[in-house]
Amino acid sequence: MSATNALDHVAARIVERYSNPSRKAYTYLFRLQADAPLTALVPSATDVLAAWVDEGHGLVPTAPSEAVARCQAAAQIRPHAGPLHGLTPHQRKQTMARAIQFSVRPVSEDEIALHLVSRALGFSPKGDREVIEAWRRAADGIWYSAYREQERQERAE
């Protein structure tokens, strides 16, 4: 498998991870260029390689500019600013909406670095989560996510 195919394979696994039909929150998923910053609540469309949007119908591939615009619009919705008991099911899903940005880059022939940031649109930065994973290739060519104890400990300090 070429380096580009390996990166695409790992990216597809991340999309698969977030396409679970039991997810209730609206999701805006962005694969960014390897050198793009993952610091903004909503990424710049110029940094987005691919995007997927789930607004109640599962993750659907979406043009980057449209996905960014829809995510920006969702970030402006604040249904949780009022009383929560009167929210519709649609508004409840909006309160949990997440913008997820990730990038993958090769480290070596047998390792890929994944950096992922998931932000709650209505509760950022309190609801932000960051993940750094090492994806390694097994002897049979299968890519898997490897546990990174050292980085976990460094972030905890």
Side-chain angles (χ1 to χ4, degrees):
M1 182 179 292
S2 73
T4 301
N5 288 345
L7 293 174
D8 291 344
H9 173 76
V10 170
R13 297 279 307 272
I14 299 307
V15 173
E16 182 181 320
R17 180 186 294 173
Y18 286 97
S19 65
N20 185 331
S22 69
R23 293 182 58 82
K24 301 295 183 203
Y26 287 176
T27 304
Y28 303 88
L29 180 62
F30 302 96
R31 177 183 176 188
L32 303 185
Q33 297 177 33
D35 60 346
L38 281 71
T39 54
L41 180 63
V42 180
S44 167
T46 58
D47 290 335
V48 178
L49 294 174
W52 299 263
V53 172
D54 179 354
E55 292 175 333
H57 304 290
L59 279 179
V60 176
T62 308
S65 58
E66 180 184 344
V68 166
R70 289 166 72 174
C71 187
Q72 287 171 334
Q76 301 307 309
I77 298 169
R78 300 278 190 253
H80 53 284
L84 294 176
H85 65 277
L87 296 179
T88 67
H90 172 75
Q91 289 172 321
R92 288 185 190 282
K93 290 177 183 176
Q94 287 176 321
T95 65
M96 299 181 293
R98 297 198 74 82
I100 302 166
Q101 304 171 42
F102 72 95
S103 62
V104 290
R105 64 175 178 77
V107 174
S108 68
E109 187 176 304
D110 294 323
E111 185 174 340
I112 292 173
L114 166 77
H115 188 185
L116 183 143
V117 178
S118 175
R119 292 184 172 83
L121 291 176
F123 301 99
S124 186
K126 186 177 181 179
D128 294 0
R129 303 291 180 262
E130 183 173 11
V131 175
I132 297 173
E133 291 180 19
W135 282 72
R136 297 200 175 111
R137 182 174 22 203
D140 59 1
I142 303 291
W143 287 89
Y144 65 96
S145 176
Y147 183 69
R148 294 185 96 161
E149 177 64 29
Q150 180 182 1
E151 287 185 11
R152 245 181 227 265
Q153 289 173 350
E154 289 171 0
R155 283 196 305 265
E157 294 174 352

